[in-house]
Amino acid sequence: MSRMLTRKLLPVRNILPPVTKRASHVHRQRYDVIVVGGGHAGTEAAAAAARVGAETLLVTQKTHTIGALSCNPSLGGVGKGHLVREIDALDGLCGRAGDWAGIHFSILNRRKGPAVWGPRAQLDRQRYREFIQAELLSTPRLEVLEGSVEELLVTDPNPEEPGRHRVTGIRLANGSRPISASSVVLTTGTFLSGSLFVGHTVSPGGRIGDAPSSTGLSQTLRERLGLRVGRLRTGTPPRVLKDSVDLSLAKLHPPDSHPTPFSFMNTRTRCKPEEQLPCYLTYTTPGVERVVRESLHLNCHIQQDAKGPRYCPSIESRVLRFPGRRHQVWLEPEGMTSDLLYPQGLSMTMPPDVQLRLIREIPAMHRAEIHTPGYGVQYDYVCPTQLSPALQVKNTQGLFLAGQINGTTGYEEAAAQGLWAGVNAARWARSLPPAGLSRTESYIGVLIDDLVSRGVNEPYRMFTSRAEFRTSLRPDNADLRLTQKGSLLGCVSSARRDEFLRVKLRLQDAEAALRALTLSPAGWRKMMPGISVSESKNGTLSGMDLLQYKDVSFEMLASLFPEQLSPHIEFSERLKIEAVYKPHCDLSKREVERIQKEENMSLPQDLDYFSLPVSLSKEVREILDRFRPSTLGAATRLEGMTPAAVVNLLNYVQIAERKERMMNRSNAGQQEGRGEDLCARNASLPQ
């Protein structure tokens, strides 16, 4: 077990007992930052605000559910794993918590390039919750209070800042004295006017087993602040007793033999490779579709207008959208000692007896017993175009929103927003300017930009395809992209900063050593017979150049040049990935520089953006047609414009200008030729 993980073992034992004492009352009536909600967004927001230096209060309905995995017991995946690595690079919690609680680690998408690999782990629910609680309760300047928030305290704005309102604190539902704060972060998850659905039964709440949130908070947002609020839905599958499932009828999926940690601070995971648990894959049958169709009249959730998650739909939605198909069902462990399985892909809201009929139509679960039935949730969300890139409500000074309240789905998306909202809430409280993340430097920047500039009409999920510069936004280099920025913002610990500086300098030394190794192509082929360097290639190749070849590894080069390269063997995978993507990253960097250089380039005002023969989304075409920017720089500042769209627009205009210049020169040459011919004919006339 690594030194970092050993150090983290102690707080779990020693700090958890005082939870009730720490959460029973507040020690002051005014804080810099108050965070409402103890889910993934709330815990990251509270910890980040406290790290930046703000006196912070986290208010949650139940302290023992802080850090609970409400739905699936997993973290990461394609796109989502990128977010976890970036959160960790900014010293967030969930990456280290995943390394502590993980029981099945795997890298998804390995058949593709490392830029779109998806680090993922199955988690032990109890271990994850314990780690998050221990971290929060050992964080300086952070207090936890158990309670329900009834309303926001709102007053007139500071006339020197934009906005029509200013938040000044919260009022609890128990009638206690108001608690004041300079800024408030709302991370209400599915609890904002939440409703639970099982069959025809509807009850208030955001999660089974928890009390419903008060309606006062939602009314404050709608009526007092005048925010546009919509309605979304989600769901969760039934939990199944493991002993009642015949796993021999499902396909075994083992974990990676060498677990890859999420955190840059960890060299290994708590769970040893041989201790990891497997997952199992099975499929739905025609009987599942039959049960769904026969029970639609008993299921009011599926008949509601609220939009559900397109990329994690209920089994009812899958059957209705894709009739006649079989659908994957992953049987995932819920913990090292848990007797439950999580059937990923079987989210459902039909009556419990019908749920049992349905799952027993799957061969591996023909005798399955349900421990907890699945259910659906509908909840309010705030249209995120009403937020700034700092995740602050534009019309309300000091009010920040993060997580599902902004229309997203998933732990990772919530945690990323929470961290950034917490950083900016603390900066607002300390009268510092907001901090921003661009699409070109992080997936968190892509996520926030998509939300605030485009909004949502269904729960938003992160994918690698959403990032235009994904070859440079990789899981392996999140620390190089973000940790120094986090250090400047004050949200990164000194231990992480020191480790980052060590890694950065060692990588620079390793790359310098590789570049110093230069041979001709023939020389490399002589030293490494069988490598695919072309015989027609001229000049010299460095070790860094050679690493770009698929059949060359850093270990191979280190065996040939042990004195120069063996000291850097711990970074072998990172150096290989960096070498492979260096040409692509250099191209992306040049494109960004081109945009900056051509900011003043004029855009023709008669352009028909809807018919331009260039790769632009329908949304981008509508934005350009509506605002008709006069220059490229003005186009880059329009909400909803992506860097890739700007590059494509720049290329089109420059090509069009070149064609126009060539045509003008050709026309001028033709006119000059006709003039000379006329002069010649005139000269031949008698004088």
Side-chain angles (χ1 to χ4, degrees), residues 142-180:
L142 175 58
E143 293 182 33
V144 178
L145 174 66
E146 191 171 89
S148 180
V149 175
E150 175 67 28
E151 64 174 320
L152 294 174
L153 302 179
V154 180
T155 188
D156 294 332
N158 178 351
E160 297 179 359
E161 299 284 349
R164 298 197 302 271
H165 314 281
R166 177 167 61 93
V167 70
T168 60
I170 61 170
R171 189 186 307 278
L172 299 177
N174 62 9
S176 61
R177 291 173 56 192
I179 306 174
S180 300

Side-chain angles (χ1 to χ4, degrees), residues 484-533:
Q484 186 167 353
K485 183 165 192 168
S487 181
L488 295 174
L489 293 172
C491 69
V492 167
S493 68
S494 58
R496 185 177 293 272
R497 183 193 64 232
D498 293 344
E499 174 64 8
F500 160 72
L501 292 174
R502 181 192 77 84
V503 169
K504 182 180 178 182
L505 291 174
R506 290 291 303 277
L507 284 172
Q508 289 174 347
D509 291 344
E511 289 184 23
L514 284 166
R515 285 192 294 269
L517 298 173
T518 57
L519 291 173
S520 66
W524 284 116
R525 286 195 300 273
K526 184 177 180 181
M527 292 192 71
M528 305 171 70
I531 62 172
S532 56
V533 178

